[in-house]
């Protein structure tokens, strides 16, 4: 199969790996000054066989692909990824930990082995973080019926700060709570201040919020401080408020799978057994349809069973 | 003599004894419980261990019966059951099939040619296939058979093919096997008959399973089996149940019952050997078939399918099941390869098969009002496609185009004209019929179109954006339905946005445009307030409603208890519809009447009540297994419901073609031999392949030589494997795993043991069984199945190694260091092996140290002991062996008719040598030569002096000769003393004896004295010891007392402190 350009680069490689089909991607950034693959993409290709993540993108970029592949590999995966744990472009490790892991559990990938652990936190641009991801192997995915998101019963979150005043985290928490308290009283936001060797190389702070519903759906949102020397600094109060609003926006969008993990859920549904899986998604994020395009459009590279996606808003 | 009348026994009719008896009579069945009460000791626990054991055993037996519950995927309308009739030649296979067909359909089929599908009952159809004696057919049919009728000639007994077939079945998942004994009328003696029956039955049982059904067909009546016996056999077949086999439930397959060559006749004319496009027809079995998938046709090869479409069932089950038996119209028979079922519908055409005898009937049919159109078609010179297009334009209705395939009919003028024109023995005859709603097939099509359009519209409304997003722009609205359906899955990316998108940032983070201002109170209230538990719930889940409902439920509960009959009736209803999902019921569907709403509410309430009741009472007993089973059942229900209302055309796009459909599979680029050498007696199976099963790679398998195969197998000899759907020749390498995990190459397979084998072959999932034969050509007397086994791994990284011994010779020996040459050729080679351990034949271990400059390849090595020049030094190493990449599919179906069982691939080394007359040069050492024995000389035995001394006399070498006569000259003269000398000697003697006596006396005295002294000393010592002991005792006592005092005083002191 042949594709053009570097969009959906990860998706293409992951799907080609899963379906044992060759892909050819010519004309990558053909109009750009800097032709060809960037360092992070090269790093990604290396990751598919061997684990150092380039600091141009955060670990989330690599971890997302690993989440897609890990349940299907031959032996249980244990990957220690080093690089940037949180940055504003990619979903952070914390967000994946609180949203993707419960989603995977719904698909029958559970047990002790499934874990994302932040050993060291490294902010953009210099990184220096370390994440341990372990995942067991499953023979087959369980079909899921995610059609009822349920009511939100609690909101949890983590406000973290590294190499800045520990007070930052508390300020974030206060501002976030000021908005969220109007909706639900059951809110707990942990403050996570890392010191010394586990604090990475750059300063920064951020907030990850997750809303859990009575049916076990997790909707997440996060905001990171701007990396050092790359734009205007943010006030922790603003950050907290923004993040809370983002979470509300995410709740407004609804669905049983939050917008970050839509493509992951769809992939698992496609790779399941021949059973009908249903899931209710919010409005599709721009990334998801591209996934659908890849998975179904081009002559179904994977035996996608008789799964079906029922969209709704 | 008078006989005394004895009083008869009077039964008691009343009283306690009679009552007791009556009670016993009444409670005859409850004897067991009584027994337990009456004789409790017999039922008491004798041994706790034994009880535990019996309990354990019963539980074991119970759990053994459990299978992992799987989702039930059997289609609602299953495909016909494949019944394969197999047996040696002249055993009565065709006769049996003919009799079965006659039994089921009341029709006679003279020539059994290809699969015959019949309707055997209200819910079952059968496809009968006759298997010839070729091992290729046997292998192919064993893979698709649901039921095997194994015919055995009772007058002869079992033949090798029967056993071979059973072994093939074992490998590929055992289908049901039913034995049928024929030729029983050859036995004249009843006793021999029954004995033979018994013998054959028991042998059959050992092969299949104990108690396997063996049928007896006792004799022939007018060339047919007895009607009653065939009827019984038919009944057995119709009620038989089949188990799902793993390979078949995971792969789609089609047993083709019809073949049409679609190649352009012009292309054939230009090149008779051009690749053919062929469409194959048959019922889809196994699992869902995707449209553009790969299939393997055993005996031909791998092909990718150009197109799959489903056709109306040519041999459908009765539409409505009535209580009565099937009538003649419903007992259908479909066997296109045998020339039955003349009218066959294709995707866009109808074929009429017209043997010359039926031509007249056909002629009548052509006298329809459309004949002129037909004639116009024949008459004009334009291409047929253009004509068809014109007709299609003129008639917006659906048009069925009819191809008529017919033999040359001289009395039909038009046809003869065509024959003259085209100069062909048979031809396509175009005509068309505008069939309106009176045709059943057409009605179906119309419905389909309507449904499709409805479904499409519904989809459009439901998700206008999604499809646009996923599949790019939509198709134009005005194109017709069919095209739209086809276009549903076509990717058409919008051209203008393509460039922009191509290099977009690959990031799943998504920044929503926050149009909502969450600071405003009304935004909050209106939009997401109800998403939280604190918000407003749906009406049916509101706490207040639930509370109220609970009250109602419990109220109801009491009502139900009183009116029990009423409840039972409703419960069934609830069971039937209870599995529906919540949201489906909640979703606002069509406006229902008030009554209906009420009824639904009631049902819902009852369902909840039932759930609650179940949760309270049943779940205690439910095991994990039961839960799992329930879950699977729910999933199966869900799967079924999801596509229940969807039209077939759309459904096929989503889930693929489902088993039970009659499909037409179009395959391009088949070798022309497939068509030219087509023999309907050979089965054509289309085996669907999984996503990566079309690839070829390395496979590790466990293999065991079959114990009935007479010879062991040699590594690198080509072997024909039957694995998955495929039959192919490959070159296996056999290996065995050493205790350290090394895969050591074996030259031959072990005689009675498993070994590993690695091949280059098609990727097949782990756990798939295979069998191996050395040749598929010809008929041989001995057992042909060489080996069986299972695929273990699909790993390229597993390496097989073989032992390689490098030999060298010492050319200079120091103390423990040697210079060794002849092992390597260059310094570089030595450098690679520096530090490797080496050994001599005598067992002295050593190590390679460093290369020497001259001679080339020589090196210095050290050993644990001094070597001799005659020692040979060797280095044991392991050399990785490459697996030869031979994958040669057996193309037996492409062989000419009548020679299909003569396929011969690569020959084995033994075969080659035999054919070419090459004989191995024997090892000179292995040849027999005349034995020449040399006389051996031994050295004399030399015993060292010291040893001689130590030896007892009898073992000492006797060097002294026996004393013979001393010769005269050696004899010494006797000494004669003088008288004076005599005196001196006597005196000296006397003096010395006196001295000796004195000495002796003095010594004895001294000894006695010393003895006395020792005694004395001992006495003194003893006394001294005694004294000392006494003294010590005294001191210790004193010390002890002192200690005690001290302790006491300290205790006292402590107590005082307290």
């Amino acid at each position: 199969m042949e594709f053009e350009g570097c969009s959906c680069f990860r998706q293409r490689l992951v799907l080609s790996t899963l379906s044992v089909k060759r892909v050819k991607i010519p004309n990558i950034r053909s109009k750009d000054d800097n032709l060809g693959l960037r360092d992070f993409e090269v790093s990604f290709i290396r990751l598919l066989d061997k684990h150092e993540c380039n600091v141009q993108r955060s670990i989330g970029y690599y971890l997302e692909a690993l989440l897609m592949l890990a349940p299907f590999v031959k032996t249980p995966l244990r990957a220690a990824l080093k690089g940037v744990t949180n940055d504003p472009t990619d979903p952070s490790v914390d967000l994946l930990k609180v949203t993707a892991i419960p989603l995977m559990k719904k698909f029958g990938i559970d047990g002790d082995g499934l874990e994302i652990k932040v050993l060291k936190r490294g902010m953009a641009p210099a990184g220096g973080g370390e994440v341990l991801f372990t995942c067991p192997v499953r023979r087959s995915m369980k079909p899921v019926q995610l059609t009822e998101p349920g009511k939100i019963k609690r909101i949890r979150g983590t406000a973290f700060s590294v190499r800045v005043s520990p007070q930052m985290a508390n300020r974030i928490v206060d501002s976030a709570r000021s908005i969220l308290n109007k909706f639900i009283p059951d809110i707990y936001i942990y403050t996570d201040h890392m010191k010394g060797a586990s604090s990475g190389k750059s300063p920064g702070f951020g907030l990850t919020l997750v809303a859990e519903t009575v049916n076990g759906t997790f909707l997440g949102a996060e905001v990171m401080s701007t990396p050092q020397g790359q734009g205007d600094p943010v006030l922790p109060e603003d950050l907290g408020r923004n993040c809370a609003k983002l979470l509300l926006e995410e709740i407004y969008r609804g669905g049983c799978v939050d917008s970050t993990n839509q493509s992951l859920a769809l992939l698992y549904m496609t790779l399941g057994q021949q059973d009908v899986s249903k899931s209710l998604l919010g409005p599709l994020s721009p990334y998801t349809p591209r996934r659908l395009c890849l998975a179904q459009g081009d002559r179904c590279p994977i035996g996608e069973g008789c799964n079906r996606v029922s969209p709704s808003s | 003599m008078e006989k005394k009348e004895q009083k008869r026994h009077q039964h008691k009719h009343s009283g306690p004894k009679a009552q007791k008896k009556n009670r016993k009579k009444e409670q005859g069945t409850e004897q067991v419980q009584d027994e337990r009460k009456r004789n409790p000791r017999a039922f008491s626990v004798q041994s706790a261990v034994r009880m535990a054991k019996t309990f354990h055993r019963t539980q074991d037996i119970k759990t053994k019966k459990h299978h992992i519950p799987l989702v039930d995927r059997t289609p609602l309308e299953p495909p016909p059951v494949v019944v394969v009739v197999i047996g040696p030649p002249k055993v009565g296979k065709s006769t049996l099939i003919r009799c079965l067909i006659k039994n089921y359909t009341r029709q006679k089929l003279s020539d059994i040619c290809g699969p015959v599908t019949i309707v055997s009952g209200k819910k079952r159809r059968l496809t009968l296939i006759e298997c010839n004696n070729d091992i290729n057919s046997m292998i192919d049919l064993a893979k698709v058979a649901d039921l095997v009728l194994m015919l055995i000639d009772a007058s002869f007994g079992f033949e090798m093919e029967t056993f071979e077939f059973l072994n093939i079945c074992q490998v590929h998942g055992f289908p049901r096997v039913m034995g049928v004994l024929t030729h029983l009328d050859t036995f004249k003696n009843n006793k021999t008959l029954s004995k033979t029956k018994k013998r054959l039955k028991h042998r059959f049982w050992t092969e299949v399973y104990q108690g396997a059904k063996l049928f007896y067909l006792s004799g022939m009546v007018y060339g047919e089996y007895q009607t009653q016996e065939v009827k019984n056999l038919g009944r057995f077949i119709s009620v038989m149940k089949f188990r799902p086999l793993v390979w078949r439930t995971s792969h789609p397959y089609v047993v083709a019952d019809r073949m049409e060559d679609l190649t352009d006749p012009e292309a054939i004319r230009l090149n008779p050997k051009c690749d053919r496009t062929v469409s194959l027809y048959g019922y889809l079995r196994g699992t869902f078939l995707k449209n553009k998938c790969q299939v393997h046709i055993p005996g031909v090869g791998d092909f990718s399918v150009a197109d799959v479409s489903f056709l109306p069932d040519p041999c459908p089950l009765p539409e409505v099941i009535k209580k009565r038996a099937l009538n003649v119209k419903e007992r259908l028979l479909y066997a296109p390869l045998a020339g039955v079922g003349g009218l066959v519908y294709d995707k866009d055409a109808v074929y009429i098969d017209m043997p010359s005898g039926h031509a007249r009937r056909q002629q009548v049919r052509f006298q329809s009002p459309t004949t002129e159109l037909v004639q116009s078609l024949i008459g004009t010179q334009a291409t047929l496609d253009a004509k068809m297009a014109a007709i299609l334009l003129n008639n917006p209705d659906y048009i069925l185009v009819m191809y008529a395939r017919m033999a040359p009919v001289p009395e039909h003028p038009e046809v003869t004209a065509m024959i003259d024109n085209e100069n062909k023995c048979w031809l396509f005859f175009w005509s068309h019929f505008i069939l309106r709603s009176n045709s059943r097939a057409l009605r179906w099509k119309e419905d389909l179109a309507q449904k499709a359009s409805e479904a499409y519209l519904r989809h459009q409304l439901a998700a206008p954006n999604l499809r646009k997003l996923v599949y790019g722009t939509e198709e134009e609205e005005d194109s017709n339905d069919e095209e739209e359906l086809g276009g549903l899955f076509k990717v058409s990316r919008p051209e203008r946005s393509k460039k922009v998108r191509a290099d977009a940032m690959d990031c799943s983070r998504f920044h929503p445009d926050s149009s909502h201002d969450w600071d405003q109170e009304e935004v909050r209230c209106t939009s997401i307030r109800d998403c939280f538990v604190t918000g407003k719930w749906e009406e049916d889940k509101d706490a207040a409603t639930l509370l109220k409902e609970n009250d109602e439920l419990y109220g109801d509960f009491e009502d139900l208890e009183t009116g029990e009959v009423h409840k039972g009736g409703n419960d069934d209803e609830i069971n039937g519809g209870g599995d529906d999902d919540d949201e489906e019921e909640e979703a606002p569907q069509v406006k229902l009447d008030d009554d209906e709403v009420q009824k639904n509410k009631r049902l819902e309430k009852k369902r909840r009540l039932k759930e609650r009741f179940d949760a309270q009472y049943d779940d205690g007993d439910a095991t994990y297994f039961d839960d799992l089973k329930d879950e699977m059942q729910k999933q199966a229900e869900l799967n079924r419901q999801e596509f229940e209302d969807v039209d077939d055309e759309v459904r096929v796009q989503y889930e693929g073609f489902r088993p039970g459909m009659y499909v037409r599979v179009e395959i391009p680029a088949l070798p022309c031999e497939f068509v030219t050498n087509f023999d309907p007696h050979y089965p054509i199976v289309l085996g669907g392949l999984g996503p990566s099963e079309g690839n070829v790679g390395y496979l590790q398998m466990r293999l065991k030589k079959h114990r009935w195969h007479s010879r062991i197998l040699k590594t690198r000899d080509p072997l024909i494997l039957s694995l998955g759907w495929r039959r192919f020749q490959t070159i296996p390498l056999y290996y065995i795993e050493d205790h350290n995990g090394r895969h050591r190459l074996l030259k031959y397979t072990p005689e009675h043991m498993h070994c590993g084998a690695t091949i280059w072959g098609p990727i097949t999932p782990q756990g798939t069984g295979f069998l191996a034969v050395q040749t598929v050509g010809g008929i041989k007397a001995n057992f042909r199945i060489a080996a069986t086994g299972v695929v273990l791994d699909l790993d390229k990284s597993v390496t097989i190694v073989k032992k390689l011994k490098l030999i060298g010779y010492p050319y200079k020996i120091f103390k423990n260091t040697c210079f060794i040459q002849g092992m390597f050729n260059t310094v570089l080679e030595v450098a690679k092996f520096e530090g490797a351990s080496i050994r001599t034949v005598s067992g002295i271990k050593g190590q390679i140290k460093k290369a020497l400059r001259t001679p080339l390849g020589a090196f210095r090595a050290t050993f644990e002991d001094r070597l001799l020049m005659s020692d040979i030094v060797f280095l044991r190493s392991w050399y990785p062996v490459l697996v030869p990449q031979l994958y040669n599919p057996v193309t037996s179906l492409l062989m000419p008719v009548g020679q299909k069982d003569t396929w011969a691939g690569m020959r084995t080394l033994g075969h080659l040598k035999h054919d070419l007359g090459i004989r191995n040069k024997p090892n000179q050492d292995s040849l027999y030569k005349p034995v020449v024995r040399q006389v051996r000389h031994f050295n004399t035995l030399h015993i060292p002096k010291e040893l001689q001394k130590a030896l007892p006399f009898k073992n000492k070498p006797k060097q002294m000769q026996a004393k013979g006569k001393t010769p005269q000259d050696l004899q010494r003269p006797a000494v004669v003393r003088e008288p004076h000398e005599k005196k001196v000697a006597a005196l000296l003697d006397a003096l010395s004896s006196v001295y000796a006596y004195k000495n002796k006396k003095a010594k004895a005295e001294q000894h006695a004295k010393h003895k006395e002294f020792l005694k004395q000393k001992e006495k003194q010592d003893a006394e001294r010891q005694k004294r000392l002991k006494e003294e010590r005792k005294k001191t210790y006592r004193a010390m002890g007392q002192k200690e005690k005092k001290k302790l006491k005083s300290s205790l006292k002191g402590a107590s005082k402190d307290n």
Side-chain angles (χ1 to χ4, degrees), chain A residues 64 151 183 275 278 308, chain B residues 508 524 529-530 639 642:
Chain A
E64 271 186 308
K151 305 264 183 204
F183 293 94
D275 295 316
K278 282 185 189 168
R308 211 178 194 193
Chain B
S508 63
R524 251 182 275 144
R529 163 59 62 201
D530 294 343
N639 288 354
E642 185 65 32

Side-chain angles (χ1 to χ4, degrees), chain B residues 116-352:
Chain B
V116 180
T117 305
I118 50 178
V119 179
S120 72
K122 287 171 209 164
K123 285 180 189 168
R124 179 164 286 186
R125 292 170 291 180
L126 305 177
T127 297
L128 299 164
I129 306 175
E130 185 182 336
C131 177
N132 53 21
N133 217 18
D134 188 354
I135 198 162
N136 293 311
S137 310
M138 275 161 37
I139 290 172
D140 292 349
L141 285 175
K143 290 171 190 174
V144 295
D146 294 310
L147 169 69
V148 173
L149 291 181
M150 185 158 274
L151 263 66
I152 300 150
D153 186 346
S155 62
F156 185 86
F158 287 98
E159 293 191 34
M160 203 54 97
E161 286 83 9
T162 315
F163 289 122
E164 279 170 356
F165 187 78
L166 283 170
N167 277 285
I168 293 168
C169 284
Q170 266 174 1
V171 167
H172 294 298
F174 217 101
R176 286 262 166 198
V177 175
M178 204 150 88
V180 180
L181 278 187
T182 59
H183 295 264
L184 285 171
D185 45 355
T186 50
F187 291 93
K188 297 286 176 261
N189 188 348
N190 250 346
K191 200 167 184 185
T192 43
L193 173 67
S194 59
K195 269 192 172 171
T196 322
K197 270 185 183 175
K198 197 176 174 188
R199 188 169 49 81
L200 291 176
K201 185 172 76 184
H202 282 276
R203 188 73 190 84
F204 186 66
W205 284 4
T206 52
E207 280 310 311
V208 184
Y209 64 92
Q210 286 297 308
K213 186 71 197 162
L214 188 63
F215 236 89
Y216 307 113
L217 293 179
S218 53
M220 308 272 273
V221 179
Y222 301 121
E224 281 180 353
Y225 295 115
Q226 288 178 12
T227 336
Q228 194 54 46
E229 283 174 349
V230 173
K231 206 175 208 171
N232 286 343
L233 179 62
R235 275 187 194 145
F236 259 97
I237 294 170
S238 347
V239 297
M240 192 156 269
K241 280 180 183 166
F242 306 100
R243 60 189 97 165
L245 304 176
V246 176
W247 178 262
R248 282 183 223 174
T249 48
S250 56
H251 291 82
Y253 61 98
V254 175
V255 181
D257 57 11
R258 188 175 146 217
M259 191 274 287
E260 300 293 343
D261 186 6
L262 304 179
T263 328
D264 184 15
E266 183 63 15
I268 298 176
R269 192 185 64 80
L270 291 173
N271 177 16
K273 298 236 176 226
C274 69
D275 279 355
R276 306 298 172 90
T277 308
V278 164
S279 64
L280 293 162
Y281 302 78
Y283 286 97
L284 183 65
R285 297 178 165 89
T287 181
F288 294 92
L289 176 74
K290 292 270 154 33
N291 200 338
K292 310 274 183 208
C293 72
Q294 268 205 318
V295 292
H296 179 82
I297 307 177
V300 187
D302 278 13
F303 300 97
S304 56
V305 170
D307 186 34
V308 185
S309 51
F310 65 90
L311 305 174
D313 201 329
C315 190
L317 286 172
E319 274 170 15
V320 275
I321 293 174
K322 286 169 187 158
K323 274 204 167 170
R324 58 164 173 76
L326 299 180
N327 63 25
V328 185
K329 268 187 195 167
E330 287 161 344
R331 291 164 188 266
L332 292 168
L333 170 67
Y334 180 67
L337 286 177
V340 184
L343 194 70
V344 275
Y345 293 88
D346 200 344
K347 192 172 74 170
D348 48 1
V350 177
Y351 290 90
I352 305 174

Side-chain angles (χ1 to χ4, degrees), chain A residues 231-272:
Chain A
D232 301 330
V234 217
L235 274 179
E237 281 80 13
D238 290 346
L239 189 141
R241 266 195 295 277
N242 284 341
C243 189
K245 282 175 189 171
L246 270 182
L247 183 70
L248 296 179
E249 187 71 37
E250 185 67 46
I251 292 167
Y252 176 72
R253 294 167 75 83
C256 288
V257 181
D258 75 338
S259 50
T260 323
N261 294 311
Q262 279 174 352
S263 59
L264 182 71
L266 292 181
L267 179 81
Y268 284 163
M269 280 165 72
T270 358
L271 292 177

Side-chain angles (χ1 to χ4, degrees), chain A residues 167-220:
Chain A
Q167 206 50 44
M168 294 289 202
N170 294 337
R171 284 162 69 187
I172 296 171
V173 171
D174 286 344
S175 62
R177 286 193 75 128
S178 70
I179 288 194
L180 296 174
N181 259 342
K182 290 164 192 159
F183 293 94
I184 193 162
D186 188 0
I187 303 170
Y188 195 90
I189 301 172
Y190 300 87
T191 50
D192 179 17
H193 182 71
M194 285 197 161
K195 281 190 271 189
S198 57
S199 65
K201 292 172 186 164
S202 305
F205 51 89
L207 174 65
T208 311
L209 287 173
V210 62
E212 187 187 346
T213 68
V214 284
N215 287 3
T217 300
F218 289 81
L219 303 171

Side-chain angles (χ1 to χ4, degrees), chain B residues 982-1045:
Chain B
K982 265 185 190 172
K983 265 185 194 166
V984 170
L987 183 68
L988 279 175
D989 261 359
L991 281 175
S992 63
S993 57
V994 168
Y995 177 72
Y997 177 72
K998 260 189 178 169
N999 256 356
K1000 203 179 173 186
K1001 213 178 162 183
K1003 237 179 199 172
E1005 235 166 63
Q1006 181 72 19
H1007 193 67
K1009 233 182 183 173
H1010 189 239
K1011 231 177 180 178
E1012 192 71 13
F1013 166 74
L1014 282 178
K1015 231 182 215 170
Q1016 209 73 296
K1017 206 186 170 197
E1018 206 175 336
K1019 229 179 188 174
Q1020 280 172 1
D1021 271 1
E1023 254 168 43
R1024 193 164 157 264
Q1025 285 297 329
K1026 208 178 166 188
R1027 207 174 53 242
L1028 276 174
K1029 205 178 173 187
E1030 207 95 314
E1031 255 169 36
R1032 245 180 270 147
K1033 217 175 184 178
K1034 235 181 239 171
T1035 15
Y1036 286 144
R1037 191 180 293 150
M1039 272 165 71
Q1041 276 167 351
K1042 224 179 192 176
E1043 194 86 346
K1044 231 181 217 171
K1045 257 183 207 162

